[in-house]
Amino acid sequence: MNEEVFSSLADARHKLARWRYDYNTTRPHSALGGQSPETARRALERVEGSTLGTLAALEIMSYERKGLPE
């Protein structure tokens, strides 16, 4: 984005949206082993089924009130 020249706020928003889409879907990421997020998602779906809940699985924690005053 440092190399971009924006002619208006709408132009800046448009270019930022294009950059964000590229970064989040097609650009390779080192944290994903050089894969794009889209490729990594498809690979995970093949192995795990659906990515829903796989990438951000929440652990249900049970908290007990031991020794705490009421």
Side-chain angles (χ1 to χ4, degrees):
M1 297 305 301
N2 289 338
E3 300 171 1
E4 295 290 336
V5 175
F6 306 112
S7 60
S8 66
L9 183 56
D11 181 46
R13 287 180 175 156
H14 177 72
K15 288 178 180 175
L16 180 59
R18 281 194 338 222
W19 178 87
R20 188 180 315 131
Y21 176 81
D22 180 60
Y23 183 83
N24 289 329
T25 56
T26 60
R27 181 178 173 269
H29 290 261
S30 60
L32 299 173
Q35 296 179 25
S36 71
E38 187 67 25
T39 304
R41 182 188 61 80
R42 277 191 256 120
L44 185 60
E45 282 180 342
R46 282 194 299 272
V47 173
E48 298 289 333
S50 174
T51 58
L52 183 60
T54 302
L55 296 176
L58 298 175
E59 232 179 86
I60 299 174
M61 308 277 293
S62 63
Y63 293 96
E64 295 181 31
R65 296 177 58 113
K66 291 184 180 178
L68 297 176
E70 293 288 325

